[in-house]
Amino acid sequence: MDLAAPPGTPVRAAAGGRVSFAGAVGGRGVLVVTLDAPAGAAPRRITYEPVRARVAVGTAVAAGEVVGVTEAGAASHCAGRCLHWGLLRGDAYLDPLSLLPRRPPSRLLPPG
């Protein structure tokens, strides 16, 4: 998922977990937060790019904590304009919106 974010935008952890990677991949900064999983289950991993990490590998982070800032000029399909936010379990991509609190569906009501 691509989110509009100019360079220098703070990047917050979508969920609590532990930083499992913070470094360059293919010329762009990547940050990965691994979430706890029950014994025997594959953990989910949240990915953010292009970012400059503000946390080190092994750091426990809380939901909402600033973990980095978006980078300018990174080699990316939306360099300088967006943050790519992903969620994986093993090699399977999941919907990162599933990390956000659920809200009831909107209802349109008649005026008055």
Side-chain angles (χ1 to χ4, degrees):
M1 172 175 290
D2 291 331
L3 305 170
T9 300
V11 175
R12 296 181 180 275
R18 189 162 302 277
V19 177
S20 55
F21 182 84
V25 175
R28 61 184 169 258
V30 175
L31 178 70
V32 179
V33 175
T34 299
L35 309 180
D36 288 336
R44 294 177 297 165
R45 299 181 321 277
I46 306 169
T47 59
Y48 306 92
E49 61 178 276
V51 298
R52 183 173 53 255
R54 294 258 170 107
V55 290
V57 170
T59 302
V61 298
E65 183 177 340
V66 174
V67 293
V69 295
T70 54
E71 289 187 305
S76 172
H77 65 278
C78 62
R81 297 187 318 269
C82 75
L83 170 72
H84 182 79
W85 176 39
L87 178 63
L88 298 105
R89 178 177 285 125
D91 292 334
Y93 286 91
L94 306 172
D95 180 1
L97 291 176
S98 67
L99 295 169
L100 301 179
R102 295 187 130 294
R103 295 174 44 169
S106 298
R107 292 185 336 175
L108 296 176
L109 301 174

